[in-house]
Amino acid sequence: MPGGRLTQKDRQQIALGLADNLPYAEIARRLERPTSTITREVMRNGGPTGYRADLAHRATERRTARRRPAAAQGVRPADLPHGRDPVAVAEYEEQFTTVMMQSGLTKMMARVMVSLLIADTGSLTAAELVQRLQVSPASVSKSIAFLESQALVRRERDERRRERYVVDEDLWYQSMIASVRSLTQQVELARQGVGVLGPGTPAAVRLENVARFLDFVAESLARAAEQARDILSTKAEAASDEPASDEPTSDEPTADDTGS
């Protein structure tokens, strides 16, 4: 597949493809580009309904122009912990954000969620999110409120009484259980419809099949979530109980055994 940046002509072809409701993979095939390239291009420039070729091209030119002075002066990106490559991290964060948007989150909600997920602490304050994402406090607050309503984020106070937003392993379990509750409600509503519409009627039969399917999925999801939490917590406890590598094991002689 050809390399290099997308040209203005490429972006016009992307816009035409979106107007024809073509999937990203088909647009990518026609341009002989990776599907991920088309996905990132569209999602960073207004999404499938707001993409405009000229605006996207000008935005790219502005981003390129902002990077050139720093590169010319030999200015390096800010150092990241653990020797991480800032460029690689930025690209990964962008890809992760795109995937989260495809799952239904808005761009800002996805950016907040990804920021929390890739933070070593697993938590950030509102001020830290504002600084990291260069957005308004109101944007962060709105995103957190939605993520919290979906059991994807929880709040806690740190030693300085600051409110922190947290993602951790238990939160994913709680999110799965919230999904199970939602599915269970849909099962109950579907079965209620069977009585309203009349058992044996085409609509009632359809609703009963929906209820049976969702009931099975909910039960399976709840069981899987419980098993995953039990197994992973057991492994974590076992790992924490292992002796440190510099401590002698029962088979190694100690100073008393050797008489030294």
Side-chain angles (χ1 to χ4, degrees):
M1 292 183 178
R5 296 182 181 278
L6 291 169
T7 65
Q8 188 165 13
K9 183 178 179 181
D10 291 335
R11 292 187 167 92
Q12 290 169 350
Q13 291 300 313
I14 292 173
L16 290 173
L18 293 172
D20 290 338
N21 293 319
L22 295 179
Y24 293 154
E26 176 59 22
I27 297 173
R29 187 188 65 79
R30 295 185 179 189
L31 292 175
E32 296 185 335
R33 300 272 186 166
T35 303
S36 59
T37 297
I38 306 304
T39 302
R40 289 196 299 270
E41 166 68 17
V42 173
M43 298 310 294
R44 72 155 66 105
N45 291 293
T49 59
Y51 185 84
R52 300 293 182 273
D54 291 343
L55 294 178
H57 195 70
R58 286 199 292 270
T60 300
E61 289 179 334
R62 286 196 297 270
R63 287 194 294 267
T64 302
R66 284 198 299 266
R67 288 194 292 263
R68 280 173 184 161
Q73 298 168 17
V75 177
R76 296 179 57 192
D79 290 335
L80 295 180
H82 308 294
R84 292 169 180 151
D85 179 356
V87 175
V89 171
E91 291 179 351
Y92 172 75
E93 190 170 355
E94 184 176 329
Q95 292 173 8
F96 204 162
T97 298
T98 299
V99 171
M100 297 290 274
M101 291 171 66
Q102 292 172 339
S103 71
L105 296 180
T106 66
K107 184 174 183 178
M108 183 52 59
M109 293 171 189
R111 293 184 69 198
V112 169
M113 189 69 189
V114 172
S115 293
L116 290 168
L117 284 169
I118 68 175
D120 283 320
T121 58
S123 69
L124 294 168
T125 66
E128 288 169 337
L129 283 167
V130 166
Q131 182 179 17
R132 175 185 176 85
L133 301 176
Q134 293 296 293
V135 296
S136 68
S139 297
V140 169
S141 178
K142 182 178 179 180
S143 297
I144 288 294
F146 176 82
L147 294 172
E148 189 177 28
S149 73
Q150 302 300 306
L152 294 172
V153 171
R154 64 179 172 83
R155 303 170 189 247
E156 65 179 27
R157 297 280 181 178
D158 61 16
E159 66 280 358
R160 296 171 56 184
R161 303 299 299 166
R162 296 177 305 178
E163 191 171 71
R164 302 189 70 87
Y165 310 122
V166 183
V167 292
D168 56 22
E169 292 80 0
D170 186 63
L171 202 63
W172 293 113
Y173 168 78
Q174 297 298 338
S175 178
M176 292 297 101
I177 296 304
S179 296
V180 171
R181 287 196 293 268
S182 176
L183 288 172
T184 301
Q185 291 175 346
Q186 293 176 56
V187 169
E188 293 173 353
L189 193 60
R191 287 189 168 140
Q192 179 182 341
V194 172
V196 172
L197 298 174
T201 63
V205 170
R206 185 183 308 113
L207 286 176
E208 178 59 32
N209 288 336
V210 168
R212 292 172 60 194
F213 177 84
L214 294 181
D215 196 19
F216 182 86
V217 171
E219 182 181 347
S220 300
L221 182 59
R223 184 167 57 249
E226 294 288 352
Q227 290 175 342
R229 186 172 68 162
D230 292 343
I231 292 172
L232 295 178
S233 62
T234 300
K235 288 183 178 179
E237 291 172 1
S240 64
D241 291 339
E242 291 180 359
S245 58
D246 58 349
E247 294 180 0
T249 63
S250 58
D251 296 330
E252 296 176 340
T254 62
D256 292 338
D257 296 330
T258 59
S260 57

